[in-house]
Amino acid sequence: MMTGVPTSSATATTAATAATSTTSTAPSAGVPAEKLRLDRDFHRFRVGETVSLLGTQVTNLALPLTAIHAFGASDEQVGLLRFLQLAPYLGLALLIGVWTDRVRRRPVMLGANLVRLVLLALVPLLSWWHVLNLPVLLVIACAVGVASVAFDVSWMSYVPVLVRSPERYVEASARLGVSSSAAEVAGPGLAGALVSALTAPVALVVDACSYAVSLVSLLLIRTREPRPAPAAERHLLTELRDGLGQVFRNGVLRSLALIGFCCNFSMVSVWTLFLLHGTHDLRLGPAALGGVLTTASVGGLTGALLSRRVIARFPLGRVYPVAQSALLLGPVLAAVAAGPRPSVIALCALSFFTSYLGLGVAGVVIVSLRQSLTPQSMMGRMTAAFRTLLFGGGALGGLSAGLLAGRVGAESALRMAAAGSAVVVVGLVLSPVVRLRSLPAAPTDRPPPGPRGGAEAGTR
């Protein structure tokens, strides 16, 4: 779900080329586009992440429906649940970013996935033992969020180790974006069917299994991750300041971060409000809700598939504002939906499709710019700063959606959220990103190609 998918949330990615001139984004000579396709370790990571994201889609629907159907959660409590899933990004992302710049990232990702596997597997077990209640569910959601912070801050810093060449960052992000969107296409429908057939708590077993697949894929990676260079002295506050400075001193990164905060606030609030509106007002079942959300994922997949072609043909400064505008204006369609229930559902589906189509393209541009403008030694802290803002926006969006729906009703709150989202388009016009024609030159601080290791690779 976060830009950068969602949803995170997470929402939470690099297309075929770095800039070689001010008018094109063609691949550099000597770096064939097909080489990435043959990179086994990159694809091992990609497969594991795709399966993991598929399971996450189940959790995104199953957790709030568990709260609604099993415990009669109010709108405010559903908003609180969504907030607690993403709140750890507000308080911990920067600290974890400093830590991940000091250590190898693969062990961190392995540990994070193991923790998420165990926590989600606990939900059906506690349900069977009749000791699951809403406070316990909230605690589990928050703990899963903490592990997700560690994984998300690490993986974006880890991919350049596998890809190695900055000229291939756009392609790598585009391929990961396609994988993510493909998981999101299948995920909501699968989630709805599983929740209907198994009940929401039991459906979470699927997500637990998906983290097991991700664990295996990470263990199979043979590329040796270079150990971060030791520093004579390390000061936490200095490193935090450097990480924030990397983002806020650069006009392009600063603009991406601030607009990203607004986009994630919009996406998560609209997603939460539609879930409440669909459940309470439209009386949609889990399968129908999953079907509507699947159209969003189809839009994301379409955008990710088109992203490389669009970025190669048009300047980045045109692609980015158009894609982000689609994301920000899409909720208006859901807000104005009226009439017979089928028409309302169709407009809501089109709304999600439009927003995620924009996200599919914009996400590739955003991740590629972030990786191109940041040296490897700062990648963890840069990613953490972005995660704090992006997922912080999502967390606040989920919380405000629940509180607002409790006050004025989900339908009215949805209209207010869509209006606020549309206002952010003004910020796109002022963004320095619109003046870019291609990716900027990459910093020189890049990891040297690591030797291929045996069983010990990446574990020291």
Side-chain angles (χ1 to χ4, degrees):
M1 298 288 297
M2 296 299 96
T3 59
V5 289
T7 191
S8 208
S9 152
T11 330
T13 206
T14 244
T17 69
T20 56
S21 70
T22 59
T23 60
S24 71
T25 54
S28 298
V31 184
E34 295 299 314
K35 183 176 181 182
L36 185 56
R37 190 172 300 166
L38 301 176
D39 192 315
R40 291 177 296 176
D41 280 348
F42 174 79
H43 285 286
R44 285 168 180 155
F45 174 81
R46 180 185 176 190
V47 168
E49 181 66 359
T50 301
V51 174
S52 173
L53 288 169
L54 181 63
T56 299
Q57 294 301 310
V58 177
T59 297
N60 284 342
L61 188 62
L63 271 181
L65 290 182
T66 297
I68 292 172
H69 294 307
F71 308 118
S74 66
D75 292 349
E76 292 88 346
Q77 288 170 329
V78 173
L80 177 62
L81 174 67
R82 192 61 177 147
F83 173 76
L84 289 175
Q85 285 181 271
L86 301 175
Y89 287 90
L90 287 170
L92 296 177
L94 288 171
L95 295 175
I96 292 176
V98 171
W99 174 48
T100 57
D101 275 340
R102 297 177 178 182
V103 299
R104 288 176 172 150
R105 280 78 180 229
R106 192 179 76 149
V108 176
M109 294 188 290
L110 287 168
N113 274 347
L114 182 60
V115 169
R116 292 192 287 187
L117 186 160
V118 171
L119 288 172
L120 289 173
L122 274 177
V123 175
L125 289 175
L126 294 175
S127 179
W128 291 335
W129 295 333
H130 303 290
V131 293
L132 182 66
N133 54 38
L134 187 57
V136 171
L137 192 67
L138 294 174
V139 170
I140 290 175
C142 188
V144 169
V146 173
S148 296
V149 173
F151 187 91
D152 288 342
V153 170
S154 300
W155 82 259
M156 196 173 294
S157 307
Y158 184 63
V159 167
V161 174
L162 301 178
V163 176
R164 297 175 177 168
S165 173
E167 286 78 7
R168 296 161 66 195
Y169 286 172
V170 178
E171 182 176 358
S173 286
R175 293 186 182 279
L176 286 170
V178 169
S179 296
S180 173
S181 298
E184 291 174 355
V185 167
L190 173 64
L194 288 171
V195 171
S196 296
L198 304 175
T199 73
V202 179
L204 292 171
V205 172
V206 174
D207 198 8
C209 293
S210 74
Y211 288 125
V213 173
S214 182
L215 276 170
V216 172
S217 72
L218 286 169
L219 289 170
L220 291 175
I221 290 175
R222 317 305 280 179
T223 299
R224 187 170 184 176
E225 183 181 2
R227 185 186 296 276
E233 288 186 76
R234 294 189 184 273
H235 298 287
L236 177 61
L237 292 179
T238 300
E239 291 177 272
L240 285 173
R241 185 178 64 247
D242 291 345
L244 291 170
Q246 173 67 23
V247 173
F248 286 100
R249 283 196 297 266
N250 184 294
V252 170
L253 292 179
R254 180 173 64 248
S255 175
L256 293 176
L258 295 177
I259 292 176
F261 173 90
C262 297
C263 289
N264 273 19
F265 186 98
S266 167
M267 292 178 68
V268 175
S269 62
V270 169
W271 188 95
T272 304
L273 289 168
F274 172 74
L275 184 64
L276 295 171
H277 177 50
T279 300
H280 298 317
D281 302 328
L282 300 179
R283 304 294 180 184
L284 299 178
L289 289 170
V292 171
L293 295 175
T294 295
T295 64
S297 304
V298 171
L301 177 59
T302 303
L305 289 171
L306 293 175
S307 60
R308 288 175 59 196
R309 188 176 302 174
V310 171
I311 292 170
R313 180 165 183 176
F314 300 102
L316 286 182
R318 294 182 187 175
V319 174
Y320 171 75
V322 170
Q324 288 285 62
S325 294
L327 188 160
L328 291 165
L329 296 176
V332 174
L333 294 173
V336 301
R341 192 170 80 160
S343 299
V344 173
I345 293 174
L347 275 175
C348 288
L350 181 60
S351 168
F352 279 101
F353 178 88
T354 302
S355 291
Y356 279 73
L357 176 67
L359 174 62
V361 176
V364 173
V365 175
I366 293 166
V367 172
S368 301
L369 284 170
R370 286 163 55 181
Q371 291 176 334
S372 294
L373 290 168
T374 306
Q376 179 66 16
S377 61
M378 296 288 294
M379 196 73 74
R381 281 166 284 174
M382 178 278 295
T383 301
F386 265 88
R387 283 302 198 242
T388 298
L389 284 167
L390 298 182
F391 284 82
L396 295 175
L399 181 61
S400 64
L403 295 175
L404 192 58
R407 296 261 182 172
V408 303
E411 187 174 6
S412 297
L414 182 59
R415 292 171 182 162
M416 296 172 67
S421 179
V423 170
V424 182
V425 174
V426 176
L428 292 174
V429 180
L430 304 176
S431 170
V433 182
V434 302
R435 297 192 291 271
L436 295 177
R437 297 191 61 82
S438 58
L439 286 177
T444 57
D445 178 11
R446 297 289 173 187
R452 294 279 174 175
E456 64 175 0
T459 61
R460 292 184 180 177

